[in-house]
Amino acid sequence: MFKDSPAANIQEANIRCREMASAEWRRVVPILEVAAGLGEVDHSTVKDLCVCVARIDQAERDLSERGLMVTAERGTVKNGAATIAAQYRS
């Protein structure tokens, strides 16, 4: 999912995403196995949840660092991370 990158800042973000997704997996899987009888077939759905959590974290970090509005070629525009975070949440 989060591949290695030669760019240091991208590599750092990818490492954080892997860590976030792994932490979410370790948090929810034991609970779901007991509470819902999580089976092997459900693991891909839980994997998607963990990736979404990691990507929302990444988008929120970008929003915290750069803000909701950013300067681009067309002037000041909405940070695309806000749209991404909203789409992952829905």
Side-chain angles (χ1 to χ4, degrees):
M1 290 285 153
F2 306 106
K3 299 185 189 257
D4 289 337
S5 172
N9 62 331
I10 294 172
Q11 181 66 7
E12 183 180 322
N14 288 344
I15 289 169
R16 180 177 170 89
C17 282
R18 281 192 294 270
E19 290 170 353
M20 290 293 301
S22 294
E24 185 67 5
W25 180 273
R26 288 188 308 272
R27 185 183 76 82
V28 300
V29 167
I31 295 167
L32 291 174
E33 285 176 338
V34 172
L38 183 71
E40 191 67 34
V41 71
D42 302 312
H43 283 180
S44 64
T45 302
V46 176
K47 181 180 172 184
D48 284 347
L49 164 73
C50 295
V51 169
C52 286
V53 167
R55 290 187 175 162
I56 288 170
D57 175 74
Q58 187 176 23
E60 291 297 335
R61 287 175 57 79
D62 185 65
L63 287 166
S64 294
E65 289 174 11
R66 298 190 313 142
L68 183 60
M69 303 302 288
V70 295
T71 303
E73 295 173 359
R74 303 181 315 243
T76 303
V77 297
K78 180 173 133 183
N79 185 336
T83 303
I84 292 167
Q87 289 175 339
Y88 272 108
R89 284 188 171 104
S90 67

